[in-house]
Amino acid sequence: MTTTNAIPAHSVNPVGSSNSPKRIAVFGAGGRVGRAVVAEAVARGHAVTAVVRDPAKYPHLGSDAVTVVRGDATDAASVAAAAAGHDAAVNASVRLDVPSEEYFVAAARAMAGGLAKAGVGRLVVLGIATTLETAPGVRVMDAPEFPEQYRVFSQGHVAEFATLSAAGPELDWLMVVPPLDLDAEGPRTGRYRTAVGTVLDGPGHISHPDLALAVLDEIDEPGHARVQLAVAD
């Protein structure tokens, strides 16, 4: 494997501290990754707008720090309405009942257009490890033995990245990419490693809380933009 810019990393804003409270809109907040991002943001003292398709399905998501609203990550007007007045947005949404490329391209276009209208400059989206390179110009999904159905799904994130790359400079976006072993039950260790565009050497694993840590670090103190940032423990 080829590793690029792999460095040990710790939270720049440990739980309970933040340089300044922010307002963050989290699209797909009802999913497991979305909920982890919401929890990390709240722990840092931020106010969160949790954007979901059906708020009635998430009665326990709201709190003093979390406002649950209805929204559509693929509709620019809906994105603009939900994100107005916020400092940053996270897109952790996914639809498995819609073709992957159709969904992720629509979401990327809506995020770019809607956030521009809302005046939100920072966007962090969640990617997928199969789109990372194992060697220059060779992605995980390019292996001959890679299952075709997963290749089709992965192509949605490839198209999403290309769509975001075509967005204007007013959108400061980043795609954070977890490894294949995304551990929903793992603890928050407060540590992770990063690589730009490539898989990381060693076990491809990270817990949901540590993935959320990486996402919020890139909102509180942005260090990367317009790239795929691989993260793993």
Side-chain angles (χ1 to χ4, degrees), residues 37-205:
V37 169
V38 169
E40 178 68 24
V42 170
R44 296 183 184 213
H46 300 316
V48 176
T49 297
V51 188
V52 296
R53 284 189 291 154
D54 184 359
K57 292 183 178 179
Y58 307 99
H60 304 299
L61 189 57
S63 69
D64 290 343
V66 181
T67 301
V68 183
V69 303
R70 185 186 307 274
D72 182 353
T74 65
D75 181 86
S78 181
V79 169
H86 290 67
D87 300 293
V90 175
N91 186 20
S93 69
V94 65
R95 288 280 299 271
L96 299 181
D97 59 335
V98 176
S100 175
E101 187 164 348
E102 176 184 333
Y103 181 78
F104 288 113
V105 167
R109 288 174 176 163
M111 289 290 150
L115 294 180
K117 184 176 181 180
V120 178
R122 182 62 167 172
L123 168 66
V124 178
V125 303
L126 274 297
I128 190 170
T130 52
T131 64
L132 296 170
E133 291 188 345
T134 56
V138 180
R139 301 166 300 190
V140 173
M141 61 184 281
D142 295 331
E145 68 278 11
F146 194 83
E148 183 60 26
Q149 67 268 32
Y150 298 137
R151 195 192 317 274
V152 170
F153 183 82
S154 300
Q155 184 58 39
H157 285 285
V158 173
E160 176 187 30
F161 185 84
T163 302
L164 289 170
S165 296
E170 64 277 2
L171 182 63
D172 179 25
W173 63 269
L174 173 68
M175 181 177 283
V176 171
V177 185
L180 292 174
D181 185 1
L182 183 53
D183 187 354
E185 305 300 326
R188 184 188 192 278
T189 70
R191 302 184 304 273
Y192 59 88
R193 298 173 297 137
T194 65
V196 175
T198 71
V199 295
L200 283 148
D201 291 327
H205 170 275

Side-chain angles (χ1 to χ4, degrees), residues 1-20:
M1 297 180 183
T2 301
T3 304
T4 305
N5 294 341
I7 57 174
H10 299 267
S11 172
V12 297
N13 285 300
V15 167
S17 70
S18 174
N19 290 336
S20 61

